[in-house]
Amino acid sequence: EKIQSWFGVAVRAIVVLFGLLVLFLPWLHANVDSPILWGLDALLSLQCHRIRDRTIILAGVPMAVCARCTGVYIGAVIGMTFARPRWHSLPLLAWVAVALLIVISDVFFEWTPMGQLGQALRLITGLLLAWPAAAAAARILSLEEPSS
């Protein structure tokens, strides 16, 4: 059980560090020339479309992934770091199902003539989907029981 506990802590730490690395990748690229960073950037290009007008730009620098993926990474970092909310399976599944429906609805809405709802909505939908799912994964990795 002690090995499982350390394994859980290690996985959580890796997910958090990876998420933070993704969030800070554009600024790291500007200051560090590393094959590891270029490899991470190439990996992210396979995972995210990175369409420029759907990407948040901070201080003149575009994020490494689109707004929705940025929300997913932020949600994963928050969920893995704090392991909250601590919901039982049914409320968690209900939340993730509703969040997933909202994301899917937003994606389909983007294809309509009314189209773009904005970066903030994309960021929020990604965050609302990933945060509770990552919190549940963190709880499982830490061998914790859910709260009521």
Side-chain angles (χ1 to χ4, degrees):
E1 191 170 305
K2 194 171 193 174
I3 291 174
Q4 284 180 317
S5 177
W6 280 104
F7 175 77
V9 168
V11 170
R12 286 175 67 181
I14 289 167
V15 170
V16 168
L17 290 174
F18 182 79
L20 291 173
L21 183 60
V22 168
L23 296 174
F24 291 103
L25 184 63
W27 295 279
L28 289 171
H29 259 311
N31 297 302
V32 179
D33 188 22
S34 165
I36 294 171
L37 295 178
W38 289 109
L40 176 59
D41 195 52
L43 178 68
L44 292 173
S45 71
L46 297 173
Q47 174 258 310
C48 177
H49 58 71
R50 301 166 120 183
I51 296 172
R52 184 80 165 181
D53 65 339
R54 295 182 185 174
T55 301
I56 297 171
I57 298 175
L58 295 175
V61 179
M63 299 295 292
V65 292
C66 72
R68 186 173 296 115
C69 289
T70 299
V72 167
Y73 283 107
I74 292 170
V77 167
I78 293 170
M80 283 288 177
T81 301
F82 300 107
R84 299 227 190 293
R86 296 176 189 244
W87 295 333
H88 285 282
S89 298
L90 191 56
L92 174 67
L93 288 174
W95 180 279
V96 171
V98 168
L100 188 57
L101 285 173
I102 293 169
V103 168
I104 291 169
S105 299
D106 181 33
V107 169
F108 283 118
F109 188 75
E110 290 173 358
W111 295 343
T112 68
M114 294 176 66
Q116 309 291 326
L117 293 178
Q119 310 299 20
L121 181 63
R122 285 190 193 92
L123 181 96
I124 290 167
T125 58
L127 187 138
L128 291 177
L129 178 62
W131 182 355
R139 192 180 72 234
I140 291 167
L141 288 167
S142 298
L143 307 173
E144 295 177 16
E145 293 295 322
S147 301
S148 299

